[in-house]
Amino acid sequence: MQKAKKEKNNGEIAEGYILIHLNENFPNALKYLDSLSVLSKNKQTSISAAKIYTLKGNLYYKYDNLKASLNNYILGLKYAKIQNNQALIDATNINIAYLNCYMGKNEDAAKTFRHYLYNVKNSELDHNQMRVSLINCYIEINKLDSADVLIQEGLNSQFVHKNKYGINQYLYLSGRAKLKQKKYKDAIAELSKAYHYFSSVNDNTANYTLFYIGKSYAGLKNKEKAVQNFITLDANLQKTNFTSFPEIREAYTYLIDYYKEKNDKEKQLYYIERFLKVDKKLDEQFKYLSTELPKKYDTPNLLQEKESIINDLQNRKMILNISIGFLSIVLVLLTFLYFRSKKRERQHRKIAQDLINSIEMKSFKTQETEPIIIPSPAIEQTEIETEDKIVKTTPEDITQFILKELEIFESKELFLKKGITSASLAKSIKTNTTYLSEVINTQKGKNFATYLNDLRIDYALNRLIKDKKFRSYKLLAIAEELGYNNEQSFSLAFKKKTGITLSVYIKEIEKSNNSQS
């Protein structure tokens, strides 16, 4: 680049900016690309705007800013299409496929990588990269036989044999496939070799490798080794500030649970804070990509595809008939979906009204807390019938003792405490889990998890009617009041028990109250 500046050769200066930015930190790399953009605007080089935006997209992706990465890829694609630059259009399609991998859309990404692996003539480097990317997708979607075939193909290729990076890349992929197959020792052996190499060259793949080594040790029930690897991973992530790794959540939850078992409050709190910080960033990026990818990439592609189809149809009458037919199908489908939605809405409202009426009737008849009878789905009935066939082994006096303790447990609303398990409850009433489970199965007609959920949901159904302030709580607050660890668990339990959502139930309560007033 210095030589090019002396000679005032703008084309070579531009190439210098491109090459130098690859090995610079983020701020400096961005400055070189901005300088490249200035040269491009002055029409002093043949470097196109499409290429500059693509390079910026790659840079933001490398430094974990997926929002900016997507926006630059979309701009690059726009200019590449204007310039009819197929190479850059292909590059953007591949880069979008990587974002789809991050989103968990590995089936969609696999289609892209398969297309460019088998249908497009590539250099050895690009061909190998497409193969590696496709193997990643196959491992994620459990097509392990296909992954193994491509791994062996890669290891046997002369291109991979020429460089250590390639060999270790396939070792890493092979280790991940072994982990999926629960061959944990083989996975650790291969992943450890790959980690030794990637950590020595400061490659981000080292972080991914550490995570899967930790998962392998967790699979072997070797908690200390798993924790050791996850702690090292966390330390690396803090140094690099790299978090675009959705699976990393598993490492933090494992560390939190481990230190909870050890009763180490300080470390438990530390990893909870780390988890929340990482999770927030991952969640922000996921939400942004899930909204913007379809809007900025998928929809324009579909519209372009639609336009191409229409342009290819030369007969106007055929176009008209196809359009009318398509619109008719859409209209029928929308009408069907609308009426089905309304029917389902009426059914849910009826269920909610029946629940409210049932609870209000009980409140007039008795002050005792009785379980609310809700028609159970067929699957739950099957469970009950199966549970009733359990052979009783608990002595009658112990059965009666446990039943009395369960009455106290229910009347004092102890089921609202967080973290209740059959083991903790058995310990608190001085019995064992075998006796407790059997009594609940035979006397209550359900397993422990269903028993606990039913108590909590019955409590919620009653309190939501009586307590206006409780109805105004956010979903997470209601879930926590009922002893659930998160709102998803509560929502699933409520829907399973009642057949409706919490929002429908609360809405019907408010309607009922308004009509009475």
Side-chain angles (χ1 to χ4, degrees):
M1 189 178 71
Q2 289 174 352
K3 185 174 186 292
K5 284 183 175 180
K6 288 179 181 177
E7 296 174 359
K8 296 183 180 180
N9 187 329
N10 290 320
E12 290 300 323
I13 292 172
E15 290 297 331
Y17 287 152
I18 292 172
L19 292 172
I20 290 173
H21 100 279
L22 295 171
N23 292 312
E24 286 287 341
N25 59 33
F26 178 79
N28 289 339
L30 194 58
K31 286 177 183 177
Y32 280 117
L33 292 182
D34 287 338
S35 298
L36 184 64
S37 183
V38 171
L39 283 177
S40 174
K41 286 176 182 177
N42 292 334
K43 297 183 180 180
Q44 295 174 306
T45 73
S46 60
I47 303 296
S48 66
K51 184 167 185 177
I52 295 169
Y53 282 119
T54 302
L55 289 171
K56 283 190 174 182
N58 291 341
L59 180 65
Y60 281 113
Y61 187 96
K62 178 180 177 181
Y63 285 96
D64 203 24
N65 189 337
L66 301 189
K67 294 181 183 180
S69 178
L70 173 61
N71 291 335
N72 279 278
Y73 285 152
I74 296 302
L75 286 169
L77 183 61
K78 173 187 172 183
Y79 287 104
K81 287 180 177 178
I82 291 171
Q83 298 160 6
N84 197 26
N85 188 328
Q86 190 60 46
L88 286 175
I89 292 171
D90 291 343
T92 303
N93 288 334
I94 291 167
N95 290 330
I96 297 292
Y98 288 129
L99 293 177
N100 274 324
C101 288
Y102 172 86
M103 294 286 295
K105 296 181 178 179
N106 288 288
E107 290 277 6
D108 292 341
K111 291 177 185 176
T112 301
F113 296 137
R114 255 196 315 268
H115 171 75
Y116 286 103
L117 179 63
Y118 297 117
N119 300 315
V120 177
K121 189 174 181 180
N122 295 310
S123 66
E124 278 189 305
L125 176 64
D126 291 337
H127 183 82
N128 183 66
Q129 189 55 48
M130 288 304 97
R131 181 167 53 214
V132 167
S133 302
L134 186 55
I135 292 169
N136 268 302
C137 292
Y138 280 155
I139 291 171
E140 288 300 324
I141 60 181
N142 286 315
K143 289 188 175 181
L144 300 179
D145 290 340
S146 299
D148 284 339
V149 169
L150 289 178
I151 288 169
Q152 291 307 313
E153 181 181 299
L155 288 171
N156 293 331
S157 72
Q158 290 299 314
F159 176 81
V160 172
H161 283 181
K162 293 175 185 177
N163 64 87
K164 287 184 178 181
Y165 189 96
I167 293 170
N168 283 281
Q169 197 172 36
Y170 283 97
L171 270 177
Y172 159 75
L173 292 169
S174 180
R176 281 184 57 199
K178 295 287 195 310
L179 171 60
K180 280 272 187 175
Q181 295 162 351
K182 297 185 178 180
K183 298 177 181 177
Y184 300 120
K185 291 183 179 179
D186 293 340
I188 290 168
E190 293 183 346
L191 290 168
S192 296
K193 289 179 183 177
Y195 175 70
H196 179 74
Y197 171 78
F198 290 123
S199 59
S200 70
V201 295
N202 294 321
D203 190 274
N204 268 333
T205 310
N207 292 330
Y208 292 88
T209 310
L210 263 180
F211 172 75
Y212 291 114
I213 292 172
K215 281 198 71 172
S216 300
Y217 277 118
L220 290 172
K221 310 297 183 187
N222 189 336
K223 293 185 178 181
E224 285 68 30
K225 282 284 189 180
V227 166
Q228 180 183 335
N229 281 278
F230 290 150
I231 289 173
T232 305
L233 173 59
D234 175 62
N236 289 352
L237 293 178
Q238 290 190 69
K239 288 177 186 175
T240 59
N241 199 29
F242 180 85
T243 55
S244 281
F245 184 20
E247 297 87 347
I248 191 63
R249 293 183 177 97
E250 294 181 43
Y252 286 112
T253 55
Y254 192 93
L255 288 170
I256 291 165
D257 290 340
Y258 176 82
Y259 286 113
K260 186 177 181 181
E261 288 178 7
K262 297 287 184 184
N263 200 28
D264 189 334
K265 302 289 186 184
E266 290 184 359
K267 287 187 178 178
Q268 188 183 345
L269 179 61
Y270 171 79
Y271 286 111
I272 287 173
E273 289 174 347
R274 285 289 298 144
F275 173 85
L276 292 174
K277 183 177 180 181
V278 170
D279 187 67
K280 181 182 178 183
K281 183 173 182 180
L282 290 171
D283 193 50
E284 286 173 353
Q285 298 206 126
F286 186 93
K287 285 180 180 177
Y288 183 85
L289 293 178
S290 63
T291 302
E292 298 301 311
L293 257 175
K295 184 168 71 177
K296 292 183 176 178
Y297 180 77
D298 295 336
T299 300
N301 280 355
L302 287 172
L303 290 172
Q304 185 179 5
E305 188 177 341
K306 176 186 172 184
E307 186 177 329
S308 297
I309 292 170
I310 292 173
N311 289 336
D312 289 339
L313 297 173
Q314 297 177 350
N315 191 314
R316 286 178 174 266
K317 186 176 180 180
M318 185 182 295
I319 294 173
L320 181 61
N321 289 338
I322 289 173
S323 300
I324 292 172
F326 176 74
L327 289 172
S328 298
I329 292 169
V330 171
L331 183 61
V332 170
L333 181 61
L334 289 174
T335 304
F336 169 75
L337 291 174
Y338 173 78
F339 283 108
R340 190 176 72 170
S341 173
K342 286 295 180 184
K343 182 180 178 182
R344 187 176 296 156
E345 183 182 333
R346 288 194 298 272
Q347 289 172 340
H348 287 182
R349 287 178 58 194
K350 179 68 167 57
I351 292 170
Q353 289 163 4
D354 290 344
L355 279 172
I356 295 165
N357 292 335
S358 171
I359 293 166
E360 288 177 342
M361 287 292 291
K362 285 184 181 294
S363 68
F364 282 116
K365 290 180 180 180
T366 178
Q367 294 299 318
E368 296 178 3
T369 303
E370 296 181 12
I372 301 161
I373 299 172
I374 300 169
S376 301
I379 188 170
E380 292 185 353
Q381 190 63 37
T382 303
E383 285 178 8
I384 293 170
E385 291 171 1
T386 304
E387 304 278 14
D388 287 343
K389 295 178 182 178
I390 295 173
V391 178
K392 295 182 181 179
T393 59
T394 307
E396 185 59 28
D397 58 334
I398 294 177
T399 297
Q400 294 305 317
F401 167 75
I402 291 174
L403 285 172
K404 287 181 181 178
E405 291 295 324
L406 289 178
E407 285 181 17
I408 296 170
F409 175 71
E410 294 172 16
S411 63
K412 291 187 176 181
E413 297 174 351
L414 300 177
F415 50 81
L416 299 178
K417 291 183 179 179
K418 274 191 178 182
I420 296 174
T421 63
S422 58
S424 67
L425 180 55
K427 185 178 179 181
S428 69
I429 65 175
K430 297 183 173 63
T431 187
N432 60 53
T433 54
T434 302
Y435 285 165
L436 178 63
S437 295
E438 185 182 302
V439 169
I440 291 174
N441 284 331
T442 57
Q443 302 298 321
K444 303 291 184 180
K446 58 192 79 172
N447 59 34
F448 178 78
T450 304
Y451 168 67
L452 185 62
N453 277 324
D454 284 354
L455 287 173
R456 289 171 170 175
I457 301 305
D458 288 346
Y459 172 87
L461 291 170
N462 277 286
R463 186 172 169 188
L464 285 165
I465 289 178
K466 299 170 184 175
D467 189 344
K468 183 177 181 180
K469 185 178 179 182
F470 189 58
R471 291 198 298 274
S472 69
Y473 287 2
K474 289 186 177 179
L475 180 59
L476 178 59
I478 293 175
E480 288 180 343
E481 285 264 336
L482 298 174
Y484 288 96
N485 291 323
N486 54 67
E487 55 194 84
Q488 289 83 3
S489 299
F490 167 57
S491 296
L492 288 171
F494 191 92
K495 182 73 180 291
K496 184 178 179 183
K497 170 77 172 169
T498 64
I500 58 174
T501 62
L502 178 67
S503 59
V504 170
Y505 183 65
I506 292 175
K507 189 176 180 181
E508 288 306 311
I509 293 172
E510 298 295 349
K511 281 185 180 178
S512 176
N513 291 343
N514 290 336
S515 64
Q516 289 174 7
S517 60

